[in-house]
Amino acid sequence: MIIPVQWSDEGVKMLDQRLLPTEEKWLTLKTYAEVADGIRDMVVRGAPAIGVSAAYGIALGVKQFVGTNIDDLEDELDYICEVTGKTRPTAVNLFWAIDRMKRTFAKAKADGKSIGEIKQIMITDAKAIHEEDIESQRLIAQFGGELIENDSTVLTHCNAGALATGGVWGTALGVIRGAVNQGKNVSVIADETRPYLQGARLTAWELLQDDIPVTLITDNMSGHMMKKGRVQAVVVGSDRIAANGDVANKIGTYMVAVLAKRHGIPFYVAAPLSTVDMNCPTGDEIPIEERDIREITHVKDIQLAPEGIEVNNYAFDVTPNELVDAIITEKGVARKPYSESLRKMFEE
Ligand code: MRU
């Protein structure tokens, strides 16, 4: 059972995903700033895992406040959240967790809680965010598993597994684990997912540990695999889903969605409601992260591209809602029109 980030009295423990699959190294991060660096530098990555890590970082920062004035603590909290919020722009779970922790603080302050009590309340709520995330994945696995046919091969892009969440199931990999748990025979095709290789390094690693058959391909092979009839469904995760159902996910997801449509293959997105941004009308409003070009020009210290070459390194893209056949959440399976089905899930 993989749980990539954990709270401890010494600090926030984080599995260094940059070193996987060849090395399993745990870091103990002692301050909120170290946790923020861990998010920015992708020690931990994946939208729900980023949210859980941010909540733990904020709780750690509040725990380490040494003052006696609650207004000073509130100022410190605002600064901690500002630093945490500047780490990565696309995964909305980051901002969802920051808002949740700020609301928890505001309520505790309004209830007249002491600084000592507030410190404990923040830790408790960060842990609750973690537990709720794992529970949401279990439900996603259940609802999503039912959509997967027996004896089918599922293609997935990036890593939307236990490593990318609070742990245990994952979202897209949760759907696959759910289908297997329902007794279905399922194989997986994993896109390597250049440039950071989350598919080759992380998805392959997770599925091998679970003895779920997995075949690794380069990203540019997915069309050929679909044309050969090797793919019966596509399941991916998401970093932010707009109110109309447009889906932001790892760069290359849009390409896979277009190919799936071309070949009549169902394209499913699995994500908790904490990844649905009802304040974001369409995918056009989703901020797309651009990362260091060295992620493309080099693999570790090996230079691939000539010095001085112009490079774009968009980390995410947006798949328009018309290419998405279902959005699988902890509240069930949402279908088009998503502006209605997603809104209903928040009202339930
Ligand atoms: O850059 P990353 O590795 O954080 O990107 C992760 C993804 O795109 C995942 O598919 C998404 O966050 C969903 S994780 C359950």
Side-chain angles (χ1 to χ4, degrees):
M1 194 168 65
I2 302 166
I3 299 193
V5 58
Q6 297 164 25
W7 175 264
S8 79
D9 294 338
E10 298 85 58
V12 177
K13 293 193 179 296
M14 221 178 247
L15 178 59
D16 193 340
Q17 298 189 31
R18 300 170 298 182
L19 306 177
L20 292 173
T22 49
E23 189 183 344
E24 280 184 52
K25 184 178 175 191
W26 283 85
L27 306 179
T28 301
L29 307 176
K30 305 269 189 214
T31 65
Y32 73 85
E34 287 182 8
V35 174
D37 291 344
I39 294 171
R40 181 186 308 105
D41 302 339
M42 295 178 69
V43 174
V44 67
R45 31 66 50 203
I50 290 171
V52 170
S53 303
Y56 281 145
I58 293 165
L60 183 59
V62 168
K63 178 187 173 194
Q64 292 171 341
F65 175 74
V66 291
T68 56
N69 180 301
I70 198 158
D71 295 329
D72 293 346
L73 174 54
E74 189 159 15
D75 292 345
E76 175 69 2
L77 173 69
D78 288 345
Y79 183 70
I80 292 168
C81 290
E82 191 190 324
V83 169
T84 305
K86 285 184 177 153
T87 51
R88 299 186 71 190
T90 307
V92 74
N93 296 66
L94 174 66
F95 308 102
W96 174 88
I98 290 171
D99 289 347
R100 162 88 172 251
M101 294 298 279
K102 279 187 168 179
R103 277 183 276 115
T104 299
F105 176 89
K107 181 177 181 318
K109 183 184 176 195
D111 292 347
K113 300 295 184 185
S114 70
I115 288 179
E117 288 169 325
I118 290 176
K119 288 181 176 186
Q120 193 47 56
I121 289 167
M122 298 294 274
I123 295 168
T124 303
D125 199 40
K127 289 180 178 175
I129 286 173
H130 196 171
E131 285 149 19
E132 289 164 22
D133 182 67
I134 293 176
E135 174 58 12
S136 70
Q137 294 164 55
R138 184 187 67 76
L139 294 164
I140 288 169
Q142 197 179 304
F143 292 126
E146 287 155 12
L147 296 181
I148 305 298
E149 304 282 332
N150 189 25
D151 292 327
S152 62
T153 298
V154 176
L155 183 138
T156 193
H157 190 74
C158 194
N159 171 259
L163 288 167
T165 64
V168 187
W169 297 87
T171 55
L173 295 193
V175 169
I176 290 162
R177 288 176 168 126
V180 170
N181 278 7
Q182 289 162 12
K184 295 174 182 170
N185 179 27
V186 180
S187 302
V188 178
I189 292 175
D191 286 348
E192 65 176 351
T193 317
R194 279 270 298 164
Y196 217 76
L197 300 174
Q198 289 91 332
R201 298 185 303 110
L202 309 177
T203 295
W205 181 73
E206 282 199 40
L207 296 175
L208 283 177
Q209 292 195 43
D210 285 15
D211 291 325
I212 295 175
V214 56
T215 303
L216 177 63
I217 62 169
T218 59
D219 302 331
N220 49 20
M221 273 182 207
S222 51
H224 181 63
M225 301 301 273
M226 291 181 191
K227 194 164 170 230
K228 282 165 64 69
R230 292 277 305 277
V231 180
Q232 281 70 54
V234 174
V235 186
V236 298
S238 176
D239 289 84
R240 189 181 306 221
I241 298 173
N244 72 341
D246 292 345
V247 170
N249 194 44
K250 182 50 55 186
I251 194 78
T253 302
Y254 171 52
M255 183 178 77
V256 172
V258 171
L259 286 163
K261 191 75 171 178
R262 167 76 180 77
H263 293 283
I265 296 166
F267 181 89
Y268 301 135
V269 173
L273 290 177
S274 54
T275 301
V276 179
D277 184 356
M278 294 305 274
N279 299 318
C280 184
T282 76
D284 296 341
E285 286 80 38
I286 298 176
I288 299 293
E289 182 182 13
E290 291 187 59
R291 293 189 60 86
D292 189 325
I293 62 166
R294 200 180 156 82
E295 291 180 358
I296 291 178
T297 58
H298 292 66
V299 170
K300 299 203 171 173
D301 296 328
I302 301 164
Q303 181 173 343
L304 302 174
E307 231 28 86
I309 182 74
E310 190 67 32
V311 177
N312 278 147
N313 186 12
Y314 294 105
F316 301 98
D317 59 24
V318 173
T319 297
N321 55 23
E322 67 264 21
L323 297 178
V324 180
D325 295 298
I327 297 175
I328 306 156
T329 79
E330 68 269 38
K331 291 267 181 84
V333 177
R335 299 280 187 178
K336 295 168 189 164
Y338 295 112
S339 47
E340 278 175 37
S341 55
L342 292 173
R343 181 176 44 72
K344 282 197 185 111
M345 284 184 172
F346 278 96
E347 289 166 357
E348 282 169 6

Short mmCIF file of all heavy atoms in Angstrom, two decimals, residues 270-322:
data_model
loop_
_atom_site.label_atom_id
_atom_site.label_comp_id
_atom_site.label_asym_id
_atom_site.label_seq_id
_atom_site.Cartn_x
_atom_site.Cartn_y
_atom_site.Cartn_z
N ALA A 270 -10.98 10.38 -14.22
CA ALA A 270 -11.28 10.05 -12.83
C ALA A 270 -10.67 11.13 -11.93
O ALA A 270 -9.48 11.44 -12.06
CB ALA A 270 -10.70 8.69 -12.47
N ALA A 271 -11.48 11.71 -11.08
CA ALA A 271 -10.98 12.78 -10.20
C ALA A 271 -11.96 13.04 -9.07
O ALA A 271 -13.17 12.94 -9.27
CB ALA A 271 -10.79 14.06 -11.00
N PRO A 272 -11.43 13.39 -7.88
CA PRO A 272 -12.33 13.76 -6.78
C PRO A 272 -12.92 15.14 -7.03
O PRO A 272 -12.39 15.93 -7.83
CB PRO A 272 -11.39 13.77 -5.57
CG PRO A 272 -10.04 14.08 -6.13
CD PRO A 272 -10.02 13.45 -7.50
N LEU A 273 -14.00 15.49 -6.34
CA LEU A 273 -14.62 16.79 -6.53
C LEU A 273 -13.71 17.93 -6.10
O LEU A 273 -13.89 19.07 -6.55
CB LEU A 273 -15.96 16.84 -5.79
CG LEU A 273 -17.06 15.96 -6.40
CD1 LEU A 273 -18.33 16.01 -5.55
CD2 LEU A 273 -17.37 16.37 -7.84
N SER A 274 -12.70 17.64 -5.30
CA SER A 274 -11.71 18.67 -4.93
C SER A 274 -10.89 19.10 -6.13
O SER A 274 -10.18 20.11 -6.08
CB SER A 274 -10.79 18.13 -3.83
OG SER A 274 -10.20 16.91 -4.24
N THR A 275 -11.00 18.37 -7.23
CA THR A 275 -10.31 18.74 -8.48
C THR A 275 -11.23 19.47 -9.44
O THR A 275 -10.82 19.97 -10.49
CB THR A 275 -9.73 17.46 -9.15
OG1 THR A 275 -8.83 16.82 -8.25
CG2 THR A 275 -9.00 17.76 -10.42
N VAL A 276 -12.50 19.58 -9.09
CA VAL A 276 -13.46 20.30 -9.95
C VAL A 276 -13.53 21.75 -9.48
O VAL A 276 -13.82 22.01 -8.32
CB VAL A 276 -14.85 19.64 -9.89
CG1 VAL A 276 -15.84 20.42 -10.77
CG2 VAL A 276 -14.78 18.18 -10.33
N ASP A 277 -13.23 22.67 -10.37
CA ASP A 277 -13.20 24.10 -10.04
C ASP A 277 -14.44 24.78 -10.60
O ASP A 277 -14.45 25.24 -11.75
CB ASP A 277 -11.92 24.71 -10.62
CG ASP A 277 -11.74 26.17 -10.23
OD1 ASP A 277 -12.65 26.73 -9.57
OD2 ASP A 277 -10.70 26.75 -10.61
N MET A 278 -15.46 24.86 -9.77
CA MET A 278 -16.74 25.44 -10.24
C MET A 278 -16.64 26.95 -10.43
O MET A 278 -17.54 27.57 -11.00
CB MET A 278 -17.87 25.08 -9.28
CG MET A 278 -18.20 23.60 -9.23
SD MET A 278 -18.58 22.89 -10.85
CE MET A 278 -20.34 23.25 -10.97
N ASN A 279 -15.54 27.54 -10.00
CA ASN A 279 -15.33 28.97 -10.23
C ASN A 279 -14.61 29.23 -11.55
O ASN A 279 -14.30 30.38 -11.89
CB ASN A 279 -14.50 29.57 -9.09
CG ASN A 279 -15.21 29.44 -7.77
OD1 ASN A 279 -16.43 29.64 -7.68
ND2 ASN A 279 -14.47 29.03 -6.75
N CYS A 280 -14.32 28.16 -12.26
CA CYS A 280 -13.59 28.26 -13.54
C CYS A 280 -14.56 27.85 -14.65
O CYS A 280 -14.83 26.66 -14.82
CB CYS A 280 -12.39 27.32 -13.47
SG CYS A 280 -11.33 27.41 -14.91
N PRO A 281 -15.10 28.80 -15.40
CA PRO A 281 -16.19 28.46 -16.36
C PRO A 281 -15.80 27.45 -17.43
O PRO A 281 -16.53 26.51 -17.70
CB PRO A 281 -16.53 29.82 -16.99
CG PRO A 281 -15.96 30.86 -16.08
CD PRO A 281 -14.80 30.23 -15.38
N THR A 282 -14.61 27.64 -18.05
CA THR A 282 -14.19 26.74 -19.13
C THR A 282 -12.70 26.45 -19.01
O THR A 282 -12.00 27.08 -18.21
CB THR A 282 -14.42 27.38 -20.52
OG1 THR A 282 -13.39 28.35 -20.74
CG2 THR A 282 -15.79 28.03 -20.65
N GLY A 283 -12.22 25.55 -19.85
CA GLY A 283 -10.80 25.20 -19.85
C GLY A 283 -9.90 26.35 -20.24
O GLY A 283 -8.72 26.38 -19.88
N ASP A 284 -10.46 27.33 -20.94
CA ASP A 284 -9.65 28.47 -21.38
C ASP A 284 -9.13 29.27 -20.19
O ASP A 284 -8.12 29.98 -20.30
CB ASP A 284 -10.47 29.40 -22.29
CG ASP A 284 -10.87 28.69 -23.58
OD1 ASP A 284 -10.22 27.67 -23.91
OD2 ASP A 284 -11.85 29.14 -24.22
N GLU A 285 -9.81 29.19 -19.07
CA GLU A 285 -9.40 29.95 -17.88
C GLU A 285 -8.44 29.18 -16.98
O GLU A 285 -8.01 29.69 -15.95
CB GLU A 285 -10.65 30.34 -17.05
CG GLU A 285 -11.49 31.46 -17.64
CD GLU A 285 -12.41 30.98 -18.74
OE1 GLU A 285 -12.96 29.86 -18.63
OE2 GLU A 285 -12.55 31.69 -19.75
N ILE A 286 -8.09 27.96 -17.34
CA ILE A 286 -7.19 27.17 -16.48
C ILE A 286 -5.74 27.58 -16.72
O ILE A 286 -5.26 27.52 -17.86
CB ILE A 286 -7.37 25.66 -16.74
CG1 ILE A 286 -8.80 25.21 -16.40
CG2 ILE A 286 -6.34 24.84 -15.95
CD1 ILE A 286 -9.09 23.74 -16.72
N PRO A 287 -5.02 28.02 -15.66
CA PRO A 287 -3.61 28.38 -15.85
C PRO A 287 -2.76 27.14 -16.15
O PRO A 287 -2.87 26.13 -15.46
CB PRO A 287 -3.22 29.01 -14.51
CG PRO A 287 -4.22 28.52 -13.52
CD PRO A 287 -5.48 28.19 -14.28
N ILE A 288 -1.98 27.21 -17.22
CA ILE A 288 -1.15 26.07 -17.62
C ILE A 288 0.30 26.33 -17.22
O ILE A 288 0.92 27.30 -17.64
CB ILE A 288 -1.24 25.83 -19.14
CG1 ILE A 288 -2.69 25.50 -19.55
CG2 ILE A 288 -0.27 24.73 -19.58
CD1 ILE A 288 -3.22 24.18 -19.01
N GLU A 289 0.82 25.44 -16.40
CA GLU A 289 2.20 25.58 -15.91
C GLU A 289 3.20 25.39 -17.04
O GLU A 289 3.02 24.53 -17.90
CB GLU A 289 2.47 24.54 -14.82
CG GLU A 289 3.85 24.61 -14.20
CD GLU A 289 4.09 23.51 -13.15
OE1 GLU A 289 3.27 22.55 -13.09
OE2 GLU A 289 5.07 23.62 -12.42
N GLU A 290 4.23 26.21 -17.06
CA GLU A 290 5.39 26.00 -17.93
C GLU A 290 6.57 25.74 -17.02
O GLU A 290 6.80 26.50 -16.08
CB GLU A 290 5.63 27.22 -18.83
CG GLU A 290 4.53 27.41 -19.88
CD GLU A 290 4.88 28.52 -20.87
OE1 GLU A 290 5.94 28.40 -21.53
OE2 GLU A 290 4.10 29.51 -20.93
N ARG A 291 7.29 24.65 -17.28
CA ARG A 291 8.36 24.27 -16.38
C ARG A 291 9.73 24.46 -17.06
O ARG A 291 9.81 24.78 -18.25
CB ARG A 291 8.19 22.83 -15.89
CG ARG A 291 6.95 22.66 -15.00
CD ARG A 291 6.90 21.29 -14.36
NE ARG A 291 8.05 21.00 -13.52
CZ ARG A 291 8.16 21.35 -12.23
NH1 ARG A 291 7.19 22.02 -11.63
NH2 ARG A 291 9.24 21.05 -11.52
N ASP A 292 10.77 24.23 -16.29
CA ASP A 292 12.15 24.43 -16.74
C ASP A 292 12.41 23.66 -18.04
O ASP A 292 12.11 22.46 -18.13
CB ASP A 292 13.11 23.94 -15.63
CG ASP A 292 14.55 24.30 -15.92
OD1 ASP A 292 14.94 24.31 -17.11
OD2 ASP A 292 15.30 24.59 -14.95
N ILE A 293 12.99 24.32 -19.04
CA ILE A 293 13.22 23.66 -20.34
C ILE A 293 14.22 22.52 -20.22
O ILE A 293 14.26 21.63 -21.07
CB ILE A 293 13.68 24.68 -21.39
CG1 ILE A 293 15.02 25.32 -21.00
CG2 ILE A 293 12.60 25.72 -21.65
CD1 ILE A 293 15.67 26.07 -22.15
N ARG A 294 14.99 22.53 -19.16
CA ARG A 294 15.98 21.48 -18.96
C ARG A 294 15.31 20.11 -18.83
O ARG A 294 15.91 19.08 -19.11
CB ARG A 294 16.82 21.78 -17.69
CG ARG A 294 18.15 21.07 -17.66
CD ARG A 294 18.95 21.39 -16.40
NE ARG A 294 19.89 20.33 -16.12
CZ ARG A 294 21.09 20.23 -16.73
NH1 ARG A 294 21.46 21.13 -17.62
NH2 ARG A 294 21.91 19.22 -16.43
N GLU A 295 14.01 20.11 -18.43
CA GLU A 295 13.28 18.84 -18.36
C GLU A 295 13.18 18.20 -19.75
O GLU A 295 12.99 17.00 -19.87
CB GLU A 295 11.88 19.07 -17.79
CG GLU A 295 11.85 19.45 -16.33
CD GLU A 295 10.42 19.68 -15.79
OE1 GLU A 295 9.47 19.57 -16.59
OE2 GLU A 295 10.29 19.97 -14.59
N ILE A 296 13.32 19.02 -20.80
CA ILE A 296 13.22 18.51 -22.18
C ILE A 296 14.60 18.35 -22.81
O ILE A 296 14.87 17.36 -23.48
CB ILE A 296 12.36 19.47 -23.02
CG1 ILE A 296 10.90 19.39 -22.53
CG2 ILE A 296 12.45 19.17 -24.51
CD1 ILE A 296 9.95 20.31 -23.24
N THR A 297 15.49 19.30 -22.55
CA THR A 297 16.80 19.27 -23.23
C THR A 297 17.74 18.24 -22.61
O THR A 297 18.74 17.89 -23.23
CB THR A 297 17.48 20.65 -23.14
OG1 THR A 297 17.62 21.01 -21.76
CG2 THR A 297 16.66 21.71 -23.88
N HIS A 298 17.40 17.79 -21.39
CA HIS A 298 18.28 16.83 -20.70
C HIS A 298 17.44 15.71 -20.09
O HIS A 298 16.26 15.91 -19.80
CB HIS A 298 19.05 17.51 -19.56
CG HIS A 298 20.08 18.50 -20.02
ND1 HIS A 298 19.75 19.67 -20.67
CD2 HIS A 298 21.44 18.48 -19.92
CE1 HIS A 298 20.85 20.34 -20.95
NE2 HIS A 298 21.89 19.64 -20.51
N VAL A 299 18.04 14.54 -19.95
CA VAL A 299 17.49 13.49 -19.09
C VAL A 299 18.53 13.33 -18.00
O VAL A 299 19.68 12.97 -18.30
CB VAL A 299 17.27 12.17 -19.85
CG1 VAL A 299 16.94 11.05 -18.86
CG2 VAL A 299 16.14 12.31 -20.85
N LYS A 300 18.17 13.67 -16.79
CA LYS A 300 19.14 13.78 -15.70
C LYS A 300 20.29 14.65 -16.21
O LYS A 300 20.00 15.74 -16.68
CB LYS A 300 19.55 12.40 -15.24
CG LYS A 300 18.35 11.59 -14.71
CD LYS A 300 18.65 10.49 -13.77
CE LYS A 300 17.33 9.97 -13.20
NZ LYS A 300 17.44 8.81 -12.39
N ASP A 301 21.52 14.23 -16.26
CA ASP A 301 22.62 15.09 -16.70
C ASP A 301 23.02 14.85 -18.15
O ASP A 301 24.02 15.39 -18.63
CB ASP A 301 23.84 14.89 -15.78
CG ASP A 301 23.51 15.34 -14.37
OD1 ASP A 301 22.70 16.30 -14.26
OD2 ASP A 301 23.98 14.72 -13.39
N ILE A 302 22.24 14.06 -18.85
CA ILE A 302 22.58 13.77 -20.25
C ILE A 302 21.91 14.81 -21.15
O ILE A 302 20.68 14.96 -21.13
CB ILE A 302 22.11 12.35 -20.63
CG1 ILE A 302 22.78 11.31 -19.73
CG2 ILE A 302 22.39 12.06 -22.11
CD1 ILE A 302 22.11 9.94 -19.77
N GLN A 303 22.72 15.55 -21.89
CA GLN A 303 22.16 16.57 -22.77
C GLN A 303 21.64 15.91 -24.05
O GLN A 303 22.35 15.14 -24.68
CB GLN A 303 23.22 17.63 -23.11
CG GLN A 303 22.69 18.75 -24.00
CD GLN A 303 23.70 19.87 -24.18
OE1 GLN A 303 24.65 19.98 -23.43
NE2 GLN A 303 23.46 20.69 -25.19
N LEU A 304 20.42 16.23 -24.42
CA LEU A 304 19.80 15.64 -25.62
C LEU A 304 19.76 16.63 -26.77
O LEU A 304 19.94 16.26 -27.93
CB LEU A 304 18.36 15.23 -25.30
CG LEU A 304 18.13 14.24 -24.17
CD1 LEU A 304 16.64 14.08 -23.91
CD2 LEU A 304 18.77 12.89 -24.49
N ALA A 305 19.52 17.90 -26.45
CA ALA A 305 19.30 18.91 -27.50
C ALA A 305 20.49 19.86 -27.59
O ALA A 305 21.23 20.01 -26.61
CB ALA A 305 18.04 19.69 -27.17
N PRO A 306 20.67 20.48 -28.75
CA PRO A 306 21.82 21.40 -28.89
C PRO A 306 21.67 22.63 -28.00
O PRO A 306 20.55 23.07 -27.70
CB PRO A 306 21.79 21.79 -30.38
CG PRO A 306 20.40 21.54 -30.82
CD PRO A 306 19.90 20.38 -30.00
N GLU A 307 22.79 23.14 -27.55
CA GLU A 307 22.84 24.36 -26.75
C GLU A 307 22.06 25.47 -27.44
O GLU A 307 22.11 25.59 -28.67
CB GLU A 307 24.32 24.77 -26.68
CG GLU A 307 25.05 25.09 -25.39
CD GLU A 307 24.54 24.40 -24.16
OE1 GLU A 307 24.97 23.26 -23.87
OE2 GLU A 307 23.67 25.01 -23.50
N GLY A 308 21.27 26.23 -26.69
CA GLY A 308 20.64 27.44 -27.24
C GLY A 308 19.37 27.20 -28.03
O GLY A 308 18.76 28.15 -28.53
N ILE A 309 18.92 25.96 -28.14
CA ILE A 309 17.69 25.68 -28.90
C ILE A 309 16.50 26.30 -28.18
O ILE A 309 16.44 26.35 -26.95
CB ILE A 309 17.48 24.15 -29.05
CG1 ILE A 309 16.24 23.81 -29.87
CG2 ILE A 309 17.36 23.47 -27.69
CD1 ILE A 309 16.42 24.06 -31.35
N GLU A 310 15.54 26.82 -28.95
CA GLU A 310 14.29 27.36 -28.40
C GLU A 310 13.43 26.18 -27.94
O GLU A 310 13.30 25.18 -28.67
CB GLU A 310 13.55 28.14 -29.51
CG GLU A 310 12.39 28.96 -29.06
CD GLU A 310 12.80 30.14 -28.15
OE1 GLU A 310 13.92 30.68 -28.34
OE2 GLU A 310 12.04 30.46 -27.22
N VAL A 311 12.87 26.27 -26.73
CA VAL A 311 12.11 25.13 -26.19
C VAL A 311 10.83 25.64 -25.52
O VAL A 311 10.85 26.69 -24.86
CB VAL A 311 12.95 24.36 -25.14
CG1 VAL A 311 12.14 23.23 -24.52
CG2 VAL A 311 14.23 23.83 -25.75
N ASN A 312 9.72 24.88 -25.70
CA ASN A 312 8.51 25.12 -24.90
C ASN A 312 8.32 23.91 -23.99
O ASN A 312 8.50 22.78 -24.44
CB ASN A 312 7.28 25.25 -25.80
CG ASN A 312 7.12 26.64 -26.40
OD1 ASN A 312 6.63 26.80 -27.51
ND2 ASN A 312 7.58 27.65 -25.68
N ASN A 313 7.98 24.16 -22.74
CA ASN A 313 7.74 23.04 -21.82
C ASN A 313 6.45 23.25 -21.05
O ASN A 313 6.44 23.58 -19.86
CB ASN A 313 8.91 22.85 -20.85
CG ASN A 313 8.71 21.60 -20.00
OD1 ASN A 313 7.83 20.77 -20.29
ND2 ASN A 313 9.49 21.47 -18.94
N TYR A 314 5.33 23.06 -21.80
CA TYR A 314 4.02 23.14 -21.14
C TYR A 314 3.80 21.83 -20.38
O TYR A 314 3.93 20.75 -20.95
CB TYR A 314 2.92 23.33 -22.18
CG TYR A 314 2.99 24.65 -22.90
CD1 TYR A 314 3.46 24.75 -24.22
CD2 TYR A 314 2.60 25.83 -22.26
CE1 TYR A 314 3.53 25.97 -24.87
CE2 TYR A 314 2.68 27.06 -22.89
CZ TYR A 314 3.15 27.12 -24.20
OH TYR A 314 3.23 28.34 -24.83
N ALA A 315 3.45 21.93 -19.13
CA ALA A 315 3.30 20.72 -18.31
C ALA A 315 1.91 20.10 -18.41
O ALA A 315 1.72 18.93 -18.07
CB ALA A 315 3.61 21.06 -16.85
N PHE A 316 0.92 20.89 -18.87
CA PHE A 316 -0.46 20.39 -18.94
C PHE A 316 -1.13 20.88 -20.22
O PHE A 316 -0.65 21.81 -20.86
CB PHE A 316 -1.25 20.90 -17.72
CG PHE A 316 -0.66 20.47 -16.42
CD1 PHE A 316 0.17 21.31 -15.69
CD2 PHE A 316 -0.90 19.20 -15.92
CE1 PHE A 316 0.74 20.90 -14.49
CE2 PHE A 316 -0.34 18.78 -14.73
CZ PHE A 316 0.48 19.63 -14.01
N ASP A 317 -2.21 20.23 -20.59
CA ASP A 317 -3.07 20.72 -21.67
C ASP A 317 -4.51 20.50 -21.26
O ASP A 317 -4.79 19.91 -20.21
CB ASP A 317 -2.73 20.07 -23.03
CG ASP A 317 -2.85 18.55 -23.04
OD1 ASP A 317 -3.60 18.00 -22.20
OD2 ASP A 317 -2.19 17.92 -23.89
N VAL A 318 -5.43 21.02 -22.08
CA VAL A 318 -6.85 20.95 -21.75
C VAL A 318 -7.58 20.12 -22.80
O VAL A 318 -7.44 20.37 -24.00
CB VAL A 318 -7.48 22.36 -21.66
CG1 VAL A 318 -9.00 22.27 -21.50
CG2 VAL A 318 -6.86 23.14 -20.50
N THR A 319 -8.33 19.15 -22.35
CA THR A 319 -9.18 18.34 -23.23
C THR A 319 -10.60 18.89 -23.16
O THR A 319 -11.17 18.96 -22.06
CB THR A 319 -9.15 16.86 -22.79
OG1 THR A 319 -7.82 16.36 -22.93
CG2 THR A 319 -10.10 16.01 -23.62
N PRO A 320 -11.15 19.32 -24.29
CA PRO A 320 -12.50 19.90 -24.25
C PRO A 320 -13.55 18.85 -23.87
O PRO A 320 -13.40 17.66 -24.20
CB PRO A 320 -12.72 20.41 -25.68
CG PRO A 320 -11.71 19.72 -26.51
CD PRO A 320 -10.56 19.35 -25.62
N ASN A 321 -14.61 19.30 -23.21
CA ASN A 321 -15.61 18.38 -22.65
C ASN A 321 -16.22 17.44 -23.68
O ASN A 321 -16.58 16.31 -23.34
CB ASN A 321 -16.71 19.17 -21.92
CG ASN A 321 -17.37 20.21 -22.81
OD1 ASN A 321 -17.34 20.11 -24.03
ND2 ASN A 321 -17.94 21.22 -22.16
N GLU A 322 -16.28 17.89 -24.96
CA GLU A 322 -16.94 17.01 -25.94
C GLU A 322 -16.15 15.72 -26.19
O GLU A 322 -16.70 14.73 -26.69
CB GLU A 322 -17.19 17.73 -27.27
CG GLU A 322 -15.96 18.13 -28.06
CD GLU A 322 -15.56 19.58 -27.78
OE1 GLU A 322 -15.98 20.10 -26.73
OE2 GLU A 322 -14.84 20.15 -28.62
#
